[in-house]
Amino acid sequence: MSDKTIVLGVTGGIAAFKAAALASLLVKKGMTVKTVMTKAATEFITPLTFQALTKQPVYTDVFAEHDPTHISHIDLADHADAIVIAPATADFIAKVAHGMGDDMLTTILLAARCPVIIAPSMNVHMYANPLVQKNIATLREIGYEIAEPGEGLLACGYEGKGRLMEPADLVFYVERALMPKPLRGKNVLVTAGGTKERIDPVRYLTNDSTGTMGVDLARVAWLMGAQVTLVAANISVPVGPGIDVIPALSAVAMYEQVHTRLPEADIVIMAAAVADYRPREVADLKIKKTGADLSIDLVQNPDILASLQGKYKQGAFSIGFAAETHDIEHYALEKLHRKGVDLLVVNNVLESGAGFGYGTNRVDLYDREGFVESLPLASKFDVARMIIERTIARIGVL
Ligand code: CTP
């Protein structure tokens, strides 16, 4: 991302102050950020703020040409790798939807050929207004990405949809705009997190999984253009935008959700740590101590991954995970064949820096022929990227 130039368009809404955080996050990613502000935006935040954060000139006036050899709005449009408008007001969206070019930012958009992200922010009723929705639909039709506002308390005092997408989430949209999209048109189904198997209303059996590996796999697939559904058990990391999250806390709930979505899935990645057993009975009321020992009778959970065999969409690619400590190749291949997956990602949980609770992972890949590759120790995000890249190479969409 370090050689990329982003035009950050700021229009006149109260969320304009959040654009400063976005500018800062993009700069931290190594991107060159050129800020362009509408006149109304300068009523909310000063150009100097962006100049100081980005170390770049800030553009506010289409007629202020400082270099006679260049026409600034064309130059900015030509050199932008992506344009993100945050916040985008109803007025600005209307202007763009009608092809107007009466200031620096609108003229840049008219001249631009790079990906454009529009992040609307306004009062809940303004956002719901059919005219605004019609204009947003027009922008979608011409290929602009709409970073939908979130719901919550708005500056006007109302509660509802209209909050600018969080700057950290907008960074994902910018990164996505800059990446090739080999998975465009593909549905990717990912499971993540440790299941919770209820004992009574206040207790459950679970494991140490944080869900990071599965969330990162979902994130990478989304960045590469896929439509991603994340069936999530207990996860303790933020998922970020753009991913359809389906909560499924127990193994049985996950079994149902995965089977429901399986017919659409082109790639299935089962990264969840599914409990192998659940209590035979779930107490309706809290179990009280009696002074005597207590045994909990456990029954086996369905093996979700194994149960998918013969039910995949034609040509779908499946990935399973395994945690092993010894005889790794032997157990890996036995598991791969028993569960009928195309690729098995194996953690040696005795290795340091691998598995639950670490930010990093070290995995080996196996396919039906046997050992394929050892991936280097890397952040879980980079391991996810390597796994998705290997998958793309195998399904031949590159
Ligand atoms: N899995 C599943 N349903 C289960 C258990 C596991 O779908 N009830 C999936 C996991 O999401 C993972 C793979 O199967 O993709 C892991 O299989 P598992 O047999 O649990 O492997 P290990 O965790 O390595 O455990 P063990 O060696 O005890 O079998």
Side-chain angles (χ1 to χ4, degrees):
M1 299 293 164
S2 56
D3 56 345
K4 302 295 183 191
T5 297
I6 309 302
V7 167
L8 168 61
V10 186
T11 73
I14 185 63
F17 78 95
K18 288 194 186 169
L22 175 59
S24 168
L25 290 171
L26 295 173
V27 169
K28 278 191 193 132
K29 291 269 176 186
M31 301 177 201
T32 302
V33 179
K34 310 258 189 185
T35 311
V36 180
M37 302 174 75
T38 62
K39 195 167 176 318
T42 63
E43 299 284 337
F44 290 91
I45 184 166
T46 70
L48 191 60
T49 305
F50 292 98
Q51 186 180 304
L53 288 169
T54 64
K55 313 286 185 292
Q56 294 287 329
V58 174
Y59 303 82
T60 54
D61 182 358
V62 71
F63 298 112
E65 296 287 13
H66 297 295
D67 176 356
T69 64
H70 287 92
I71 296 171
S72 299
H73 62 283
I74 304 299
D75 208 41
L76 282 163
D78 283 349
H79 288 96
D81 292 296
I83 298 176
V84 53
I85 312 291
T89 59
D91 177 65
F92 184 78
I93 289 168
K95 275 185 179 168
V96 179
H98 290 82
M100 289 176 68
D102 65 349
D103 66 2
M104 191 66 171
L105 197 49
T106 46
T107 49
I108 289 171
L109 277 179
L110 285 175
R113 287 158 296 161
C114 64
V116 175
I117 302 151
I118 304 277
S121 167
M122 64 197 75
N123 162 272
V124 55
H125 302 308
M126 287 170 79
Y127 189 69
N129 186 298
L131 288 169
V132 173
Q133 286 304 316
K134 198 169 151 202
N135 289 334
I136 288 177
T138 303
L139 299 191
R140 263 206 188 94
E141 260 165 44
I142 63 162
Y144 289 4
E145 186 80 52
I146 307 297
E148 293 263 349
E151 291 192 23
L153 187 62
L154 306 176
C156 53
Y158 278 101
E159 198 147 349
K161 193 165 179 175
R163 282 170 70 91
L164 180 70
M165 180 177 281
E166 288 304 318
D169 288 347
L170 281 168
V171 172
F172 283 126
Y173 270 87
V174 173
E175 288 180 316
R176 187 170 187 253
L178 298 172
M179 289 182 67
K181 308 277 184 307
L183 293 178
R184 197 193 294 276
K186 299 280 177 204
N187 281 311
V188 176
L189 178 63
V190 183
T191 65
T195 61
K196 280 183 173 181
E197 308 299 332
R198 277 268 152 231
I199 298 170
D200 71 11
V202 294
R203 303 182 181 96
Y204 48 78
L205 299 173
T206 191
N207 56 63
D208 284 334
S209 170
T210 58
T212 310
M213 196 65 237
V215 167
D216 282 344
L217 283 156
R219 168 86 19 239
V220 171
W222 179 77
L223 287 168
M224 293 194 184
Q227 183 74 38
V228 182
T229 303
L230 181 73
V231 177
N234 188 36
I235 54 175
S236 49
V237 288
V239 175
I243 293 169
D244 191 13
V245 181
I246 312 291
L249 277 185
S250 67
V252 170
M254 184 171 275
Y255 177 96
E256 280 162 19
Q257 294 296 348
V258 169
H259 275 270
T260 305
R261 284 158 180 81
L262 192 67
E264 311 298 324
D266 300 294
I267 299 172
V268 179
I269 307 175
M270 301 287 280
V274 184
D276 291 323
Y277 297 91
R278 68 178 183 279
R280 184 180 295 281
E281 276 168 21
V282 182
D284 290 335
L285 302 174
K286 186 181 167 200
I287 299 171
K288 302 294 285 179
K289 57 183 165 298
T290 59
D293 290 345
L294 174 72
S295 298
I296 297 173
D297 198 12
L298 300 178
V299 291
Q300 274 196 60
N301 272 326
D303 187 321
I304 307 168
L305 185 51
S307 72
L308 304 180
Q309 294 175 87
K311 300 193 171 116
Y312 289 102
K313 178 178 176 181
Q314 171 112 29
F317 190 84
S318 62
I319 303 174
F321 277 72
E324 306 293 349
T325 55
H326 58 286
D327 290 340
I328 293 183
E329 177 142 10
H330 167 76
Y331 287 118
L333 289 177
E334 181 278 323
K335 199 164 283 177
L336 184 138
H337 288 288
R338 179 164 45 86
K339 304 206 180 202
V341 289
D342 296 307
L343 196 67
L344 191 75
V345 181
V346 182
N347 279 306
N348 178 344
V349 281
L350 295 183
E351 276 184 41
S352 76
F356 291 163
Y358 288 96
T360 54
N361 209 357
R362 237 286 305 133
V363 301
D364 295 331
L365 304 183
Y366 290 82
D367 69 8
R368 292 184 189 190
E369 313 294 317
F371 172 78
V372 176
E373 187 181 359
S374 279
L375 297 182
L377 179 71
S379 70
K380 284 188 174 165
F381 187 85
D382 279 336
V383 171
R385 186 178 47 74
M386 289 185 263
I387 293 170
I388 298 287
E389 281 169 358
R390 302 315 186 259
T391 304
I392 288 168
R394 279 166 179 259
I395 60 177
V397 288
L398 266 187

